[in-house]
Amino acid sequence: DKGFEDAKLIIDALKSKGVSSIGAAGFCLGAKVVVELAKVALIQAAVMLHPSFVTVDDIKSVKVPIAILGAEIDNMSPPELVKQFDEILKASEVDRFVKIFPKCAHGWTVRYDVNDTTAVSCANEAHQDMLEWFAKYVK
């Protein structure tokens, strides 16, 4: 709840400076904050990377385009849950991009061995997906 309230303050500050389009990315616990912002449309686009504590009910209330980047090996948001999120968004007609990264574990976009070329490649791919999503919706 505090993260959501803090994010609202930042969004208000950006808007007071003339920013009219805002995207938010949430990694792990940050995904819960981002989904809360997406539920009340305080942002124009959302990206969740290896989300934690995001529920089916949260996803049912999303009002802005959202990308969900999940890991094949993830107890917090297993692939079955991420696929359920995709189906809910599809039915609600909210634009979405959902991708599950094979052989990746929870946290792979920010916690990886820089000497592991596969891990680096997967993290870079996820970061590129995030940037492309924002380029599409945050103008």
Side-chain angles (χ1 to χ4, degrees), residues 76-120:
M76 297 304 294
S77 289
E80 300 76 27
L81 181 60
V82 173
K83 290 174 186 172
Q84 193 175 4
F85 291 167
D86 187 33
E87 289 302 316
I88 291 164
L89 292 164
K90 181 179 178 182
S92 72
E93 298 185 3
V94 169
D95 198 11
R96 83 254 182 247
F97 176 78
V98 177
K99 188 177 199 177
I100 298 169
F101 286 75
K103 300 178 184 172
C104 290
H106 184 82
W108 93 98
T109 65
V110 291
R111 291 180 300 174
Y112 56 89
D113 178 355
V114 296
N115 298 312
D116 180 339
T117 57
T118 301
V120 171

Side-chain angles (χ1 to χ4, degrees), residues 7-71:
K8 287 190 333 187
L9 294 173
I10 293 167
I11 290 168
D12 289 344
L14 289 169
K15 288 182 177 179
S16 76
K17 301 287 184 190
V19 175
S20 60
S21 188
I22 299 169
F27 298 75
C28 189
L29 294 169
K32 183 68 171 180
V33 173
V34 168
V35 80
E36 293 299 322
L37 296 170
K39 288 163 51 175
V40 293
L42 287 175
I43 54 178
Q44 283 61 56
V47 178
M48 299 190 311
L49 302 95
H50 40 86
S52 292
F53 304 110
V54 175
T55 67
V56 166
D57 286 337
D58 288 328
I59 297 299
K60 287 179 180 176
S61 299
V62 167
K63 294 179 174 57
V64 301
I66 186 168
I68 305 171
L69 306 177

